Amino acid sequence: MTKTATARAVQGDKKSGARSGTQSGVTPSAADEIRKAGRLLSASELEQTLRTAGFDRYHIHHPFHKLMNAGDLSKAQMQAWALNRYCYQAAIPKKDALILSRSEDPDFRREWRKRIVDHDGGDGAEKDGGIKRWLKLADGLGLDTDMVQSRKYALPATRFAVQAYIDLVSRSSLLVAVASSLTELFSPVAIGERVPAMLARYDYITEDTLAYFKPRLHQAPRDAEHALDLVTVWADTPDRQADAVEALFAKCDILWSMLDALHFAYVEPGLIAPGAFHPAGTE
C-alpha cells in the first residue's frame, strides 16, 4: 500500500472511530449514550442513570478524601481543607438564591428557599446555619475564623471552581441549575464515612467540631429528592435528559477540581500558590 493510500486508510479509521464514539482514550459518558440512542428514558431509568453515573464521579473517590478518611492527613492539611471548603460553603446560599430567583413558580420558590435557611440560618432552632457550623469546624481545627471568612487565603483554583458553580447556575437553564444540585444524592454516603473516620482517627476532632454534618443527614436527602422529582419531570426529551446528566457531571467536576487543587498544594508535590494559606512549618 502506498503512503497516500495508508494515510487515507488511517484517516478513514479515525472518522469511523469518531462516528462510533470509540476514539482512543475517550469513553462515551452516560449523557453521550442518551444523545446517541435518542430514546426518552423512563423516570426510573433516568433516576438510576443519575444515581449510578453521578456516584462514579463523586469526589468521595478522590485520593485526598481517601487520605482524610484513612487518618493520613496532618492537622495542617485538614486546616487547608476546611479553609478552602469554606469558599464553597459560603457560596451555597448565593447559588440557591440565584436558582430561586429564576423561577416563576411560588411553590418551587417556597421549597427551594429552605436550602438558604439551612446555610444562612433563621429563627429559633434554625438560628445556626451551615455556614456558622462550618466556621465552628474551622475554629476547632485551630484556624482564625476571620481569616477563613475573608477567603483571601484560599487557593486560586478553589475560588475559580466556586465561581464556575455560580456561573453554571446563573447562565444555564433552570433544569441544568437544579440538576447540578443532585450531588446531594451522595452526600449522606460521604458523611457516613467521613464523620466516624474523623472521630476515630484525629484525636483533636470532637462531635462538637463536626456539628455541621449532622443536620445534613436529613437536609441533603430532602433536597435531593425534591430536585430529583423536578428533573425527572422537566427532562422530557432525550437531549434534556442528557443535559441533566451533564449538569450533574459538571458539579462533580467542580468538587473534584477543588480536591485536585488541595492535593497538589498540600500533599504532592506540595506547591502552594503565592498568597494562599501556608501552614506553620511549610515555609
Side-chain angles (χ1 to χ4, degrees):
M1 183 180 290
T2 66
K3 290 183 179 180
T4 301
T6 302
R8 286 174 180 168
V10 171
Q11 187 63 29
D13 289 343
K14 287 182 178 178
K15 289 181 180 178
S16 176
R19 286 195 298 270
S20 64
T22 57
Q23 289 174 297
S24 177
V26 176
T27 302
S29 71
D32 294 331
E33 296 291 358
I34 292 172
R35 293 193 198 280
K36 180 180 177 182
R39 180 181 71 85
L40 185 68
L41 303 181
S42 67
S44 61
E45 287 175 325
L46 177 58
E47 176 180 346
Q48 187 58 46
T49 297
L50 289 163
R51 288 183 181 275
T52 302
F55 184 73
D56 287 346
R57 295 197 182 200
Y58 193 50
H59 64 170
I60 194 173
H61 306 298
H62 195 283
F64 191 91
H65 261 316
K66 291 181 178 180
L67 288 171
M68 181 187 296
N69 289 348
D72 291 334
L73 293 184
S74 67
K75 189 172 184 178
Q77 290 167 331
M78 293 289 284
Q79 288 176 328
W81 166 71
L83 181 148
N84 278 269
R85 177 78 181 196
Y86 176 80
C87 293
Y88 174 78
Q89 299 302 141
I92 290 175
K94 296 179 182 179
K95 173 269 298 185
D96 286 322
L98 283 168
I99 292 175
L100 181 153
S101 72
R102 299 183 60 194
S103 175
E104 300 294 336
D105 183 356
D107 290 335
F108 172 86
R109 294 197 299 264
R110 276 191 292 270
E111 185 65 27
W112 204 267
R113 72 187 180 200
K114 292 177 183 177
R115 297 165 177 255
I116 298 174
V117 174
D118 287 344
H119 286 85
D120 276 345
D123 299 324
E126 299 173 326
K127 184 176 181 181
D128 287 350
I131 292 176
K132 186 172 182 178
R133 287 192 292 270
W134 194 268
L135 288 171
K136 185 181 229 181
L137 185 156
D139 181 64
L141 291 174
L143 290 168
D144 178 90
T145 55
D146 288 338
M147 178 190 70
V148 174
Q149 285 181 281
S150 76
R151 285 166 280 184
K152 291 193 309 182
Y153 304 102
L155 295 166
T158 298
R159 298 197 299 271
F160 296 157
V162 170
Q163 186 58 48
Y165 191 24
I166 296 295
D167 291 343
L168 177 68
V169 302
S170 61
R171 298 176 183 176
S172 305
S173 68
L174 187 57
L175 166 64
V176 166
V178 168
S180 70
S181 74
L182 287 174
T183 48
E184 290 180 314
L185 287 168
F186 322 118
S187 179
V189 177
I191 293 171
E193 291 183 1
R194 182 184 302 145
V195 170
M198 284 185 175
L199 291 173
R201 293 168 180 146
Y202 300 99
D203 57 10
Y204 51 86
I205 291 180
T206 67
E207 289 190 14
D208 193 48
T209 304
L210 302 180
Y212 169 82
F213 296 107
K214 186 175 181 180
R216 296 304 299 158
L217 288 172
H218 69 83
Q219 292 168 353
R222 174 204 72 198
D223 294 344
E225 289 305 318
H226 175 233
L228 188 60
D229 287 345
L230 294 173
V231 168
T232 53
V233 171
W234 291 351
D236 54 1
T237 69
D239 278 340
R240 288 192 186 119
Q241 290 184 332
D243 287 345
V245 175
E246 286 175 345
L248 177 55
F249 288 169
K251 173 66 177 304
C252 288
D253 289 346
I254 287 166
L255 294 173
W256 193 277
S257 68
M258 290 170 62
L259 293 184
D260 276 348
L262 281 168
H263 199 278
F264 183 86
Y266 298 104
V267 180
E268 188 179 2
L271 298 178
I272 302 173
F277 171 68
H278 262 269
T282 62
E283 298 294 343

